[in-house]
Amino acid sequence: GFFEWVRSRTPPDAQSVFVGGNGLRAIGTIRALESSLGRPVLTANQVLIWAVLRTARVKARVTQYGRIFAIR
């Protein structure tokens, strides 16, 4: 599936992984990929939501959708 496809194609020296395209349903695998790869995994929709929350100064605590949400 998607998890194995991304994991097997991530170069060992990559600092992060970006999954482009809004049609992919990657949100359910972000935490598992970050854990397996040991680096941030970013998706187009996830980064958009993060940026909107920051711009709107919303203090929501998001814990299930990747390391990016730990950045304030």
Side-chain angles (χ1 to χ4, degrees):
F2 180 75
F3 172 87
E4 187 56 36
W5 187 88
V6 172
R7 194 189 66 72
S8 68
R9 286 165 176 78
T10 301
D13 60 342
Q15 293 180 356
S16 63
V17 176
F18 177 74
V19 180
N22 292 326
L24 295 173
R25 295 186 182 208
I27 202 78
T29 61
I30 292 171
R31 286 182 61 199
L33 281 168
E34 286 185 338
S35 178
S36 175
L37 298 171
R39 64 204 75 172
V41 174
L42 307 167
T43 69
N45 286 338
Q46 172 200 38
V47 172
L48 175 64
I49 292 167
W50 175 80
V52 167
L53 290 172
R54 284 197 66 179
T55 300
R57 298 180 186 207
V58 173
K59 301 290 185 195
R61 183 161 186 239
V62 180
T63 60
Q64 301 295 314
Y65 299 118
R67 296 178 186 181
I68 189 173
F69 288 99
I71 301 170
R72 298 272 174 196

